[in-house]
Amino acid sequence: MSIRALLAAIVAVLAAGAVRAQTPVRIGVLNDRSGVYADISGEGSVVAARMAVEDFKAAEKGLKVEIVSADHQNKPDVGASLARRWFDRDGVDAIFDVPTSSVALAVNEVARERNKVLVDSSAGIADLTGTRCSPNTVHWTFDTVALANGTAGAMVKRGGDTWFFLTADYAFGEAVQRDAAALIARRGGRVLGAVRAPFPASDVTPLLRLAQGSGAKVIGLANAGGDTIAAIRQAAKLDLARSGQALAGLLIFSSDIHALTTRVAQGLVLTEPFYWDLNDATRAFSDRFAERFGGRMPTSAQAGVYAGVIHYLKAVEALKSAGDGAQVVAKMKELPTDDPLFGKGTIRPDGRKIHDMYLFEVKKPGESKGEWDLYKTLATIPGAEAFRPMSEGGCPLVGAEALGRGDVVRLDRATP
């Protein structure tokens, strides 16, 4: 064999080894791409996932990452069916995003059954890290307890001690009403009533009139996305403020306020874990995101996809495999979290990602300097205070796993 042929053979062997060293990873972004939550997650979450893969430099670290996406139509059966197909036939290792709590709960079970990974950044139901917790699931961005602690807590502190809820008739609506009502009662307030709204609901004016007639100081909107936008617009037409009543949006995204405009939403108090204009790092990411996504700034759900994908890839890189979902999630819990959007944090044994939450107020039109200049910060809520203590969630993983990792489960702490 000539020297040239020998060198060619060596190069071929090395190249083959490099190919073999690439760990294949397939990520599925599952969300609402055509309905009331499309602006919250939708294609923007796919953009965020791709940015995470690029920023992580996955290929340089031996990971061959592919991203697929699908629309679950806000239907649990559709979401579960897509998850099974992805896991069983299409080689997907992990599912991200998944707005709509009922869909998230369904996909949560499929991920456990198939020993795959779910990192949820868009559903709110705190049961994902409570009674329905799973060794295969991480709940990243927010939940109903944190939203209640932030917005409901602030409203009661301001004197809003009587409430009436307009609640979307599905899992998230029920959960956020439950958690907000519990906090209101602990703070000495009262819930005067509640009414269920169909999902989706284009006209809730008759229900808002019921709330108006209750005399409650605060009307709590236990809904999200397009339903929340419609309710706030219709409430503005009823001029609830004139009768001394305030609206509390228990799940609001910056995309909702952008759609409403500050003229309509001014003064609304809300809680989010991310806002594009928080600091230099969030602004830098958001500017890049906007360049790729038609000038739109990212929502907290989309930011959660970005941060969650980066941390997931860190775990896969450490294990050099994406095959065992429970093992990957265990590694995600073991590694401290650190990304430019949520900063440093942790993932608890129950799967709850811990980071600060922020209490915002929507700016008045005269205070806003541009179409995405929407919020002013009222308070920073430390993660340890925002989220429910593990000891109160009822997660069956907490005892054995927490003791195994040496974590302290605090039994003496009440939710603020």
Side-chain angles (χ1 to χ4, degrees), residues 7-138:
L7 290 173
I10 291 172
V11 170
V13 169
L14 291 175
V19 171
R20 284 196 298 271
Q22 290 284 312
T23 300
V25 184
R26 205 163 201 220
I27 289 172
V29 179
L30 183 61
N31 58 30
D32 177 359
R33 299 178 63 81
S34 56
V36 293
Y37 303 144
D39 287 342
I40 291 169
S41 56
E43 180 61 21
S45 289
V46 179
V47 171
R50 289 177 178 148
M51 290 178 67
V53 174
E54 293 171 15
D55 291 354
F56 187 71
K57 296 180 171 48
E60 296 178 15
K61 297 175 180 177
L63 304 181
K64 184 180 180 180
V65 183
E66 181 183 358
I67 294 174
V68 297
S69 61
D71 186 346
H72 62 41
Q73 302 171 43
N74 298 310
K75 298 176 181 178
D77 56 338
V78 173
S81 177
L82 285 167
R84 290 190 191 97
R85 189 188 77 190
W86 273 357
F87 291 149
D88 296 345
R89 192 188 75 185
D90 298 340
V92 168
D93 300 293
I95 291 177
F96 285 77
D97 206 10
V98 197
T100 310
S101 291
S102 56
V103 181
L105 291 171
V107 174
N108 177 58
E109 293 305 317
V110 176
R112 182 202 289 262
E113 291 166 4
R114 293 338 194 241
N115 192 24
K116 300 294 185 178
V117 174
L118 168 63
V119 181
D120 196 296
S121 67
S122 299
I125 191 165
D127 299 39
L128 280 171
T129 55
T131 56
R132 302 286 290 275
C133 72
S134 162
N136 297 78
T137 294
V138 173

Side-chain angles (χ1 to χ4, degrees), residues 1 150 199 245 282 299 388 416:
M1 180 182 290
F199 172 74
Q245 292 178 304
T282 60
T299 66
R388 175 181 59 200

Side-chain angles (χ1 to χ4, degrees), residues 273-331:
F274 166 87
Y275 175 51
W276 74 270
D277 200 19
L278 273 176
N279 53 53
D280 289 344
T282 60
R283 284 188 286 271
F285 168 81
S286 299
D287 286 343
R288 291 170 50 223
F289 179 94
E291 288 175 2
R292 299 184 182 209
F293 198 53
R296 297 183 66 83
M297 292 299 179
T299 66
S300 57
Q302 292 157 351
V305 170
Y306 174 87
V309 168
I310 283 183
H311 194 66
Y312 168 77
L313 292 177
K314 288 179 183 177
V316 172
E317 180 195 15
L319 293 170
K320 295 181 172 54
S321 172
D324 186 320
Q327 190 177 37
V328 173
V329 169
K331 180 59 70 173

Side-chain angles (χ1 to χ4, degrees), residues 259-274:
L260 285 163
T261 74
T262 55
R263 182 185 62 80
V264 174
Q266 60 184 299
L268 188 69
V269 174
L270 57 105
T271 304
E272 287 218 60
F274 166 87

